[in-house]
Amino acid sequence: MLRELLEKNRSIRSFDPTAKITNEELLDMIDCTRLCPSSANLQALKFCPVTEGDKVEKVFSATKWAGYLRDTKIPPEGCEPPAYIIVMNDTDIAKNTTPFFKDTGIVSHTILLRACEMGYGGCMIGSFDKDIIKEALSLPDNLEITLVLAIGKAKEEPVITECTGDIKYYRENGTHFVPKRSLRDIVVK
Ligand SMILES: Cc1cc2nc3c(=O)[nH]c(=O)nc-3n(C[C@H](O)[C@H](O)[C@H](O)COP(=O)(O)O)c2cc1C
């Protein structure tokens, strides 16, 4: 079951504009992170769910998508994400944010797996303008953004392919292909 969920849980960059997602559903995903491992059990990460239209638009304006596909409009016009979860390190709990990028990866994947299980899809966005987001959401100074998670109902079904040299994802006839290295290529003997 976990294997199937992992296979289904691709990065989604086109969202169904007719399907909304509620704040309560985002809170369900955030709640799952409380069960995650945490460096020194500090649980320094905080989460800001974003579903309000004007805030969603501002966050979107601060994000960059699909760096390998600069000539394609991604997400397509009208298929932008309807919601976000902003992952942040609380520097009042952990002064140095760097170790908490590891925690960020763990909780972010947990959130996206839960989203997938709930029938949604999402994308981790590491390429963002933190100042625009901080201002748009009136975030206090002690919260340092570590990752942005876009979430909504998927309007695409990316396909995993075998990696034959180039790891760059690509699109063919509207389908997004994601090359994955083989087991043989990632195991060191
Ligand atoms: C830490 C992290 C940051 C990422 N940042 C971005 C980003 O800024 N923009 C984007 O479109 N995708 C981003 N991605 C998604 C990756 O491009 C994606 O995971 C990769 O292409 C593999 O596709 P898959 O998630 O479907 O397996 C990020 C992924 C990770 C793990």
Side-chain angles (χ1 to χ4, degrees):
M1 249 162 67
L2 177 61
R3 175 103 201 177
E4 277 168 31
L5 192 60
L6 287 165
E7 279 175 15
K8 192 167 174 233
N9 181 42
R10 304 273 54 78
S11 291
I12 296 302
R13 298 187 182 87
S14 179
F15 298 88
D16 180 349
T18 64
K20 294 294 162 222
I21 184 165
T22 65
N23 206 59
E24 286 64 38
E25 286 172 307
L26 295 184
L27 291 178
D28 178 311
M29 296 167 200
I30 293 168
D31 192 33
C32 290
T33 70
R34 300 189 307 108
L35 304 169
C36 289
S38 154
S39 306
N41 204 26
L42 280 177
Q43 302 163 71
L45 298 179
K46 301 283 170 73
F47 304 86
C48 181
V50 186
T51 51
E52 285 170 39
D54 55 331
K55 290 182 180 167
V56 165
E57 271 176 38
K58 281 184 191 154
V59 172
F60 180 67
S61 75
T63 55
K64 288 208 173 75
W65 295 70
Y68 291 142
L69 303 172
R70 293 237 185 268
D71 296 341
T72 317
K73 188 157 177 37
I74 299 174
E77 191 81 45
C79 299
E80 295 84 6
Y84 294 90
I85 292 175
I86 313 298
V87 185
M88 300 159 293
N89 178 46
D90 185 341
T91 57
D92 285 348
I93 298 176
K95 226 185 180 85
N96 180 8
T97 292
T98 306
F100 289 87
F101 284 114
K102 292 172 190 157
D103 292 52
T104 294
I106 293 166
V107 299
S108 298
H109 202 212
T110 300
I111 286 173
L112 291 184
L113 286 173
R114 177 66 180 139
C116 190
E117 190 177 55
M118 290 167 73
Y120 293 106
C123 190
M124 296 185 194
I125 301 289
S127 193
F128 59 84
D129 185 317
K130 64 175 177 2
D131 297 328
I132 293 178
I133 297 176
K134 277 198 103 162
E135 198 191 317
L137 305 179
S138 309
L139 297 172
D141 285 346
N142 61 305
L143 297 182
E144 198 169 329
I145 303 173
T146 52
L147 202 60
V148 172
L149 307 177
I151 300 176
K153 189 102 181 155
K155 212 191 161 195
E156 63 172 353
E157 242 181 85
V159 174
I160 292 174
T161 60
E162 204 184 315
C163 176
T164 53
D166 196 355
I167 47 72
K168 286 183 187 157
Y169 48 77
Y170 57 95
R171 296 205 162 188
E172 256 173 33
N173 302 322
T175 301
H176 184 93
F177 290 93
V178 191
K180 294 288 183 191
R181 296 188 204 277
S182 68
L183 178 62
R184 198 184 53 240
D185 288 345
I186 62 169
V187 173
V188 178
K189 285 183 188 156

